[in-house]
Amino acid sequence: MALQPWRKGIVTRITEETYNTRRYWIQIPELPSFDFTPGQFITFDLPIDEKPARRLRSYSIASWPDGTNTIELVIVLLEGGAGTTYLFNEIKEGAELTLRGPQGVFTLPQSIDTDLMLICTGTGIAPFRSMMHYIQEHQVSHKDIYLIFGTRTQKDLLYFDEIKELASSVEGFHYIPTLSREQWDGCCGYVHPIYEDIIKQKQNGSTELPLMNFMLCGWKVMIDEAKERIQRLGYTKKEIHQELYG
């Protein structure tokens, strides 16, 4: 795919999602429609360093293609992070940003002919939100889809009610949020035992692995451990796809 040119984006709306997470709506006025594939990202060139390579920050698109020229991003403030500190402190509604995109190949398979395990932490939920709305709106045929979203507490569960609603309306879509620092009526702990248990349940005593593809999005520690554990179960690297944050 040819690299897209740098364009002007205008921030049309900002909302506080959690104590350290914001949603940004960005319009690209020179395009009548910003076309992208769910799972792709955009890159900002931010005025935070003299060296061009140190100014670039990439964020997955949290919205889904709707025929407009506005996209949504969900961004967490990183302690000591120059990029997010600039976005949180300097960028207000009406501000202009320089961006390029869409980019990336972390996208749904052309045909979802195996079960799909979507595993994420934090703002890693963004591409999966985009994918699931796309599947719902276009009635994409699929097998079972599991979205395991790991975070610390209930207040960190981005898009919680919205994705619960998706799970109730999209057949075969299973939403499994899990909290590592708080007890509640849902799953507690880390994401890894959850997908391992699902696979064991699907095996139902058989030694044959269920056909499954894995998509991992989040911080490096989670992704590295997930890749190791999934391969230990018997899956190959070809069945594991990742989008690394940070």
Side-chain angles (χ1 to χ4, degrees):
M1 180 183 295
L3 192 61
Q4 295 293 315
W6 291 103
R7 304 183 191 275
K8 178 177 72 175
I10 299 176
V11 180
T12 59
R13 184 183 173 198
I14 302 172
T15 64
E16 303 282 342
E17 186 69 5
T18 72
Y19 72 99
N20 67 343
T21 309
R22 291 181 183 171
R23 296 165 68 179
Y24 293 78
W25 283 262
I26 300 170
Q27 183 184 50
I28 300 88
E30 69 183 83
L31 297 176
S33 174
F34 188 83
D35 299 320
F36 64 96
T37 302
Q40 290 188 304
F41 62 88
I42 59 97
T43 297
F44 288 132
D45 182 353
L46 301 175
I48 56 175
D49 200 283
E50 293 182 358
K51 295 184 178 180
R54 294 183 179 177
R55 298 199 302 258
L56 305 183
R57 297 294 187 277
S58 298
Y59 300 97
S60 293
I61 302 171
S63 51
W64 51 99
D66 60 2
T68 73
N69 61 357
T70 297
I71 59 173
E72 179 189 335
L73 309 176
V74 58
I75 299 175
V76 62
L77 177 63
L78 301 179
E79 186 175 349
T84 57
T85 297
Y86 175 81
L87 291 170
F88 272 62
N89 292 347
E90 305 298 331
I91 295 301
K92 314 298 181 186
E93 292 180 358
E96 295 185 3
L97 289 163
T98 300
L99 61 85
R100 167 181 278 167
Q103 298 169 267
V105 295
F106 185 72
T107 56
L108 289 166
Q110 287 190 335
S111 177
I112 309 177
D113 51 9
T114 71
D115 290 345
L116 198 56
M117 189 73 74
L118 312 177
I119 306 168
C120 62
T121 50
T123 53
I125 191 73
F128 299 147
R129 177 193 187 230
S130 179
M131 291 175 189
M132 290 313 306
H133 275 283
Y134 181 86
I135 287 171
Q136 180 192 45
E137 289 199 0
H138 295 270
Q139 298 184 341
V140 176
S141 177
H142 59 86
K143 302 293 186 180
D144 281 337
I145 299 176
Y146 300 88
L147 172 52
I148 305 173
F149 179 21
T151 191
R152 292 181 177 182
T153 66
Q154 289 185 68
K155 69 176 184 290
D156 300 312
L157 285 171
L158 303 169
Y159 306 114
F160 178 64
D161 292 333
E162 177 186 316
I163 297 177
K164 273 179 62 180
E165 178 61 30
L166 275 173
S168 69
S169 59
V170 178
E171 186 176 356
F173 174 42
H174 312 272
Y175 174 45
I176 312 169
T178 182
L179 307 182
S180 62
R181 303 281 180 88
E182 183 177 293
Q183 295 295 313
W184 70 320
D185 58 1
C187 289
C188 295
Y190 294 105
V191 297
H192 309 292
I194 296 174
Y195 59 77
E196 291 173 336
D197 287 344
I198 291 170
I199 291 166
K200 288 177 183 176
Q201 290 170 18
K202 282 187 164 287
Q203 284 180 293
N204 195 25
S206 170
T207 57
E208 188 172 342
L209 285 172
L211 295 176
M212 188 171 290
N213 272 283
F214 300 83
M215 302 187 76
L216 317 175
C217 189
W219 298 111
K220 184 177 186 299
V221 171
M222 182 278 287
I223 287 180
D224 286 349
E225 183 171 350
K227 287 193 298 184
E228 180 183 338
R229 293 171 79 141
I230 291 166
Q231 289 179 80
R232 200 185 305 151
L233 290 169
Y235 292 97
T236 68
K237 291 182 179 179
K238 290 182 179 180
E239 293 155 316
I240 304 171
H241 315 275
Q242 70 179 57
E243 191 77 286
L244 185 66
Y245 278 27

